[in-house]
Amino acid sequence: MTDRLKLDGRRRVIIENVQPEIESGRFPIKRVLGQDVVVQVDAFTDSHDVLNCMLRYRHSTKSDWHEVVMCPLGDDRWHASFLLKELGQYVYTITAWIDHFFSWRNDFLHRNDAQDIVQTLGVGAKWVEEAAARAQGKDQVQLQQFAKKMRAARADSGAMLARSETLASLMQQYSDRSLASDYPYLLSVWSEPVKAQYSTWYEFFPRSCASDEMEHGSFAECQKRLPYISGMGFDVLYLPPIHPIGLTKRKGSNNTLGASDTDVGSPWAIGAAEGGHKSIHPQLGTLDDFRQLVTKARELGMDIALDIAFQCSPDHPYVQAHPEWFCHRADGSIQYAENPPKKYEDIVPFDFETDAWQELWQELLDVVLFWIRQGICLFRVDNPHTKPLPFWEWLIGEVKRVHPDTIFLAEAFTRPKIAYRLAKAGFSQSYTYFIWRNSKRELETYFTKLTQTEVREYFRPNLWPNSPDILAEYLQFGGRPAFMLRLVLAATLGANYGIYGPAYELMEASPRVAGGEEYLDSEKYQVRHWKLDRADSLRDFIARVNRIRRENAALQQDHALQFFDVNNDNLICYAKTTPDHTEIILVVVNLDPHHTQSGWVTLPLDTLGLDADRSYQVQDLLTAACFLWSGALNYVEINPQVAPAHIFKLRRRVRTEHDFDYFL
């Protein structure tokens, strides 16, 4: 007998095309606490038999399954949903079976010959008797009584019995699943904190918070900066590495090779005599000072995010204690990082193929757990694509198993497939190529891919118009309008976005070398002192944009993003809506920072729930200006020197004479 004949061929239901599903359940999809997980599936069988289709789910830490009856959508497509009530991982799957009673009932209700009806009632009674055998207590007695009445009924009373909603409910409850087909894969979803879906990040260097231009900043000085940052509407404060910095091969200002005695070095060259990844740079303060900073930030509605950079300076204690964790050159010395012709002699990478890899993995996990114990639940991970993908899947899984409220942001400017695989491995959010997407076509193509394809199930974009590593060419030459419009794009295209400041709000635009993307006098290598009270600062503009995000739920998710046609390639138009379309945010951005641009926007009125025969109001949330639009085609004109974008809120209802008391 072949393997196929060993299977029970009486299981006739086919289950396929489950959505959402990532690689047959190999990786989980991502949702946030309080969200519904909507599942669709194709389920069908031969002939015209009636199916029961059930969505089954449970939290991964519990053994009891919950079930939701799936509803038909037509064309053998079914759907149902379940609510994420806890953080952590849920699993779900599908089971479906032929319901012989309801198949009989559908057939029976089409019969009109009295003798035929009476004979057929006996078949139905058989299914009811079998259900009674599966039931208990009052339900069992009630089903037995139904079966007895069906066997004794005449045609007219028998038809009434078959139509009984009480009988239908009982038969649904005790349906025969002995020949049910089960979907062969167990699928999963990560229920993460809401901040994984919607967050607003601000990055700054603690050592640049010094009040005296001759001093190194400290956590105490950082506390004084917190109201400034929270006042702009940021809810995540991201700090680059806060650990001791090595002396060997330390980099000087502007990334020069010969550091002076006063050069502070790169925070990413982690480790010195004072300690390593579990230590704090002594000039920043103590561990108690850090905990106090975390507490003060939280009181202002902000979480601290820490940088996780799994690399060392040559002076790191690991190098002496565990030389086996590093690569060695032919002369026995530790191999420094390089990407020929570039050399990073102040950094030595871990050797993830060492024979002691298990001990290395465990220590790196302990680093993350150490900072979680200090009150940290968000981590920005530096260059995760240069470490093994299985390592991240293991580490993040281990962390979330115990601390499901932890969020990991992947700083992976790498090839798309690697970036996507890191997201599948567990990273809650990911850096993107937004910083290099400037034209209308580039933006529309890229964000359609991220928000309207399978990618959206596991890859959450976090958009940054700048970073300490990248001063985009667009910002170098676009002036104030460029900084404003790129901020609007980041804040409205993405529910998660961030800026590196104060460089951004103070519009720092000078590259180290012409044609390069590195900042002149980069904070990566030196302490900077910023004049936060400059009159031309974008501080108020940023606060206004972040307030708009906070007050409008449509901007707090990415799945509803839609692009609309504008007959000018310098203008881009898109909308985000709430699921019920009660809130519609329409954004129009002038991508040309130098010139006024105008054009005609075409809106799909049906899609937006707008009446083609009625006017509607659009209010610019940036300026509070209101406009009355009608129909699908409307004119826009944007002068970037005034405001390079509109963030419109659409209001369907416009007052008429019926609203005036005298009219009544």
Side-chain angles (χ1 to χ4, degrees):
M1 184 178 291
T2 66
D3 289 341
R4 288 187 177 276
L5 288 178
K6 290 178 184 177
L7 300 174
D8 193 333
R10 296 173 296 170
R11 299 180 188 272
R12 295 161 44 206
V13 180
I14 306 301
I15 302 173
E16 61 186 22
N17 192 21
V18 179
Q19 293 177 340
E21 174 186 317
I22 308 300
E23 296 183 21
S24 301
R26 170 67 177 83
F27 297 103
I29 63 168
K30 290 184 174 72
R31 297 293 187 271
V32 295
L33 185 66
Q35 243 179 359
D36 283 318
V37 179
V38 180
V39 180
Q40 294 191 5
V41 61
D42 291 341
F44 54 90
T45 187
D46 54 279
S47 72
H48 300 289
D49 284 326
V50 174
L51 296 188
N52 270 324
C53 196
M54 200 73 69
L55 170 62
R56 308 181 71 232
Y57 70 95
R58 63 177 174 83
H59 195 279
S60 62
T61 61
K62 298 181 173 119
S63 57
D64 292 338
W65 287 88
H66 303 277
E67 294 188 337
V68 183
V69 176
M70 302 195 79
C71 300
L73 293 171
D75 195 25
D76 295 314
R77 191 74 173 159
W78 303 73
H79 84 112
S81 64
F82 63 93
L83 180 66
L84 299 176
K85 298 180 179 180
E86 300 178 53
L87 293 174
Q89 191 173 40
Y90 283 74
V91 293
Y92 62 97
T93 190
I94 311 293
T95 187
W97 63 95
I98 292 171
D99 193 309
H100 292 291
F101 171 78
F102 284 97
S103 298
W104 166 84
R105 185 174 184 253
N106 275 3
D107 178 74
F108 177 82
L109 294 177
H110 285 88
R111 296 177 185 271
N112 51 29
D113 180 80
Q115 183 177 357
D116 187 28
I117 290 173
V118 171
Q119 290 179 344
T120 309
L121 278 169
V123 177
K126 169 181 173 291
W127 299 124
V128 176
E129 289 166 346
E130 290 184 359
R134 293 187 291 273
Q136 293 180 344
K138 293 181 181 179
D139 291 346
Q140 185 179 60
V141 173
Q142 198 169 9
L143 284 167
Q144 289 170 341
Q145 291 173 346
F146 268 114
K148 184 176 180 180
K149 290 178 181 178
M150 289 170 71
R151 289 195 182 278
R154 298 192 305 269
D156 54 350
S157 59
M160 291 180 62
L161 285 168
R163 289 188 174 92
S164 167
E165 290 302 319
T166 301
L167 176 60
S169 177
L170 287 167
M171 292 302 291
Q172 182 74 39
Q173 185 176 354
Y174 296 104
S175 185
D176 181 10
R177 300 191 186 190
S178 60
L179 296 177
S181 297
D182 296 318
Y183 191 58
Y185 304 112
L186 200 60
L187 311 178
S188 63
V189 52
W190 270 111
S191 172
E192 297 188 288
V194 173
K195 194 163 278 189
Q197 174 180 283
Y198 164 61
S199 59
T200 313
W201 293 55
Y202 185 88
E203 177 182 5
F204 84 113
F205 286 75
R207 69 188 185 188
S208 290
C209 287
S211 55
D212 186 327
E213 292 199 2
M214 300 303 294
E215 292 183 359
H216 188 288
S218 67
F219 290 141
E221 294 297 324
C222 286
Q223 283 194 43
K224 299 176 183 178
R225 184 76 61 88
L226 295 179
Y228 167 82
I229 299 167
S230 67
M232 286 189 286
F234 293 97
D235 57 25
V236 179
L237 176 57
Y238 156 49
L239 307 181
I242 57 174
H243 316 297
I245 298 172
L247 290 171
T248 300
K249 300 293 184 179
R250 175 176 284 191
K251 296 292 185 67
S253 299
N254 286 307
N255 202 17
T256 56
L257 296 179
S260 69
D261 292 340
T262 59
D263 281 318
V264 292
S266 167
W268 283 270
I270 298 170
E274 299 88 352
H277 284 76
K278 299 176 187 176
S279 302
I280 287 176
H281 194 294
Q283 288 181 276
L284 290 176
T286 65
L287 196 57
D288 284 340
D289 295 331
F290 176 73
R291 292 194 196 100
Q292 189 176 14
L293 178 66
V294 172
T295 300
K296 292 296 183 182
R298 198 157 286 155
E299 290 173 358
L300 291 171
M302 295 186 295
D303 287 312
I304 299 287
L306 276 192
D307 193 287
I308 291 293
F310 284 147
Q311 59 199 32
C312 301
S313 95
D315 305 323
H316 198 294
Y318 287 155
V319 176
Q320 294 298 321
H322 296 283
E324 70 277 10
W325 290 354
F326 302 91
C327 290
H328 296 258
R329 293 194 293 267
D331 62 2
S333 60
I334 301 291
Q335 175 66 58
Y336 55 76
E338 57 182 337
N339 184 15
K342 294 182 179 180
K343 296 180 180 181
Y344 305 95
E345 296 178 273
D346 58 336
I347 293 173
V348 293
F350 289 112
D351 176 13
F352 281 89
E353 292 187 351
T354 173
D355 290 340
W357 64 272
Q358 290 173 306
E359 292 83 356
L360 173 61
W361 283 27
Q362 188 61 54
E363 175 61 20
L364 299 182
L365 171 62
D366 288 345
V367 168
V368 177
L369 296 177
F370 173 84
W371 292 107
I372 289 176
R373 290 194 295 272
Q374 314 314 314
I376 299 300
C377 59
L378 292 97
F379 296 94
R380 180 268 200 187
V381 179
D382 188 68
N383 288 329
H385 56 287
T386 61
K387 287 81 181 172
L389 294 164
F391 164 72
W392 291 119
E393 189 172 355
W394 171 81
L395 183 141
I396 295 173
E398 288 294 297
V399 170
K400 288 190 173 183
R401 181 172 56 81
V402 184
H403 303 283
D405 59 335
T406 310
I407 293 173
F408 290 90
L409 167 61
E411 187 252 5
F413 294 118
T414 182
R415 304 188 301 280
K417 286 185 173 60
I418 300 176
Y420 293 158
R421 183 59 181 250
L422 285 165
K424 292 176 184 177
F427 279 94
S428 309
Q429 302 175 4
S430 304
Y431 277 59
T432 69
Y433 309 138
F434 165 72
I435 208 164
W436 297 285
R437 298 294 184 265
N438 298 310
S439 73
K440 178 178 178 177
R441 181 176 180 181
E442 289 172 337
L443 289 165
E444 290 182 349
T445 301
Y446 186 51
F447 283 95
T448 297
K449 171 80 171 178
L450 295 185
T451 64
Q452 304 304 317
T453 70
E454 183 194 61
V455 171
R456 74 181 190 174
E457 301 294 355
Y458 54 84
F459 185 93
R460 286 200 195 98
N462 192 322
L463 311 184
W464 292 71
N466 75 328
S467 80
D469 297 292
I470 306 169
L471 170 60
E473 188 176 33
Y474 193 92
L475 298 179
Q476 295 177 31
F477 302 106
R480 183 183 183 86
F483 282 86
M484 295 173 70
L485 73 88
R486 291 298 290 182
L487 183 108
V488 169
L489 287 170
T492 56
L493 284 170
N496 296 300
Y497 97 99
I499 61 171
Y500 152 56
Y504 201 89
E505 64 264 31
L506 298 182
M507 296 167 287
E508 190 88 352
S510 300
R512 185 171 66 87
V513 296
E517 290 185 319
E518 293 181 80
Y519 280 94
L520 178 66
D521 298 328
S522 170
E523 281 187 281
K524 288 180 64 177
Y525 309 104
Q526 64 190 76
V527 173
R528 293 286 302 272
H529 297 273
W530 304 95
K531 297 185 181 300
L532 302 181
D533 57 352
R534 268 175 34 190
D536 64 340
S537 170
L538 292 177
R539 172 183 178 178
D540 292 341
F541 179 78
I542 293 170
R544 194 177 317 131
V545 171
N546 286 339
R547 184 174 63 250
I548 291 169
R549 281 165 50 87
R550 190 169 57 252
E551 294 175 351
N552 292 278
L555 294 173
Q556 297 169 17
Q557 47 75 40
D558 294 328
H559 288 197
L561 178 66
Q562 305 172 72
F563 290 99
F564 301 141
D565 182 61
V566 191
N567 65 340
N568 181 340
D569 284 343
N570 289 298
L571 296 177
I572 187 170
C573 177
Y574 51 90
K576 284 185 174 181
T577 65
T578 51
D580 58 3
H581 280 191
T582 56
E583 186 176 281
I584 304 171
I585 300 296
L586 179 73
V587 183
V588 187
V589 181
N590 181 357
L591 300 176
D592 177 1
H594 305 290
H595 306 99
T596 297
Q597 298 289 342
S598 62
W600 291 87
V601 173
T602 303
L603 300 183
L605 300 182
D606 290 344
T607 300
L608 297 175
L610 297 171
D611 190 340
D613 298 324
R614 297 193 64 180
S615 299
Y616 51 96
Q617 185 186 87
V618 294
Q619 179 185 11
D620 189 345
L621 300 179
L622 285 174
T623 64
C626 292
F627 306 91
L628 197 62
W629 285 10
S630 61
L633 198 63
N634 289 276
Y635 178 79
V636 292
E637 181 176 295
I638 300 178
N639 179 350
Q641 304 303 321
V642 177
H646 292 300
I647 303 178
F648 289 129
K649 189 164 190 172
L650 272 63
R651 306 183 191 279
R652 293 184 183 84
R653 187 175 182 277
V654 177
R655 290 186 176 274
T656 70
E657 72 276 10
H658 297 282
D659 299 303
F660 189 54
D661 286 345
Y662 289 176
F663 185 87
L664 299 175

